Amino acid sequence: MSDDTLQQPTRILLVRHGQSVANAGGIPPDHITNPLTELGHAQAKAFADGFSCEPTLFIISPYTRAQQTSVPLRQRYPEVPIEEWPVYEFNYLEPERLKGTSEEQQLPHIEKYWERNDPAHLDGPGAESFSVFLARVREVIKRLTQLKSDGCIVVFTHGFFMQAVRILLLFPTSTDQQLISNFRRFHFVNFIENLEAVELEVINGQLRMVGQQHLTTFTLQGESSHA
């Protein structure tokens, strides 16, 4: 029996941040320094208190809400190394356009972006196109497949980023155009709540989802996923 056959999977948990000011309908300073609410801090503490896997690495988005969400678990395991990766949220709207507005007030811009259905569209300075976003997620997936751990690796990240990982793993051969045409619908039918975790494993150099039976069967351009 080969070493590859005997290789134990590396467990990776993608964790969405706790409730942020923007999630609660408030107006944050900006999309990067969008802090947790009091409830968000409580969610992060409860997550850390109930955490049952031995962490070996923390990977954290540079955004405030993800950094703050990681604090209680980092305090519980102060010896675990920390790395900051580009696992930040998909910023598809020009940040200046959003300043001083709530998510509800941003809805016309949000709807217009998704109705455009163009993976190459760039909304303005500080925004990224859907194709650039997917390229960033694909690069993170590639880096994750190279990790090895006997415990678990915890990634504090964001909802759209987690959804992009899911849809890329489910439909690895699909084009960016196919993915943007279906992404928002996928996001809503398989919504990820604050502090919800998506479990992945790396085995024999491949990243795959595990324990995802709750995913709704989803058809992408006539192709059916097998969650």
Side-chain angles (χ1 to χ4, degrees), residues 135-177:
R136 175 161 62 86
V137 179
R138 288 185 181 106
E139 185 59 31
V140 168
I141 288 173
K142 184 178 176 183
R143 290 177 67 181
L144 289 174
T145 63
Q146 298 165 358
L147 297 177
K148 291 182 173 59
S149 172
D150 293 330
C152 60
I153 295 161
V154 189
V155 184
F156 289 96
T157 182
H158 305 261
F160 272 1
F161 190 93
M162 293 166 70
Q163 298 290 32
V165 171
R166 278 173 155 178
I167 205 167
L168 285 169
L169 292 179
L170 287 170
F171 302 103
T173 63
S174 295
T175 66
D176 291 1
Q177 183 61 62

Side-chain angles (χ1 to χ4, degrees), residues 33-149:
T33 55
N34 171 22
L36 295 184
T37 61
E38 186 176 338
L39 174 59
H41 283 290
Q43 290 170 331
K45 177 70 164 55
F47 176 82
D49 289 346
F51 199 75
S52 58
C53 182
E54 190 69 27
T56 55
L57 175 64
F58 295 134
I59 297 172
I60 309 176
S61 157
Y63 287 7
T64 300
R65 55 197 183 276
Q67 295 269 338
Q68 290 178 330
T69 301
S70 73
V71 169
L73 195 61
R74 287 163 52 190
Q75 289 175 336
R76 183 177 167 188
Y77 297 97
E79 73 288 351
V80 174
I82 301 164
E83 295 181 10
E84 192 173 282
W85 284 26
V87 293
Y88 51 86
E89 189 57 296
F90 177 31
N91 301 311
Y92 56 91
L93 295 178
E94 180 184 349
E96 279 299 317
R97 191 194 303 278
L98 308 182
K99 271 197 172 178
T101 62
S102 66
E103 287 186 352
E104 185 178 0
Q105 292 168 325
Q106 295 162 17
L107 274 177
H109 302 299
I110 292 170
E111 296 292 346
K112 184 177 179 181
Y113 175 85
W114 291 108
E115 286 169 6
R116 186 185 291 268
N117 197 32
D118 178 4
H121 174 68
L122 190 63
D123 191 58
E128 62 182 343
S129 71
F130 189 74
S131 287
V132 167
F133 169 56
L134 289 185
R136 175 161 62 86
V137 179
R138 288 185 181 106
E139 185 59 31
V140 168
I141 288 173
K142 184 178 176 183
R143 290 177 67 181
L144 289 174
T145 63
Q146 298 165 358
L147 297 177
K148 291 182 173 59
S149 172

Side-chain angles (χ1 to χ4, degrees), residues 1-9 203-204:
M1 191 175 287
S2 70
D3 289 342
D4 281 347
T5 305
L6 292 170
Q7 181 186 339
Q8 291 299 307
I203 186 162
N204 298 328

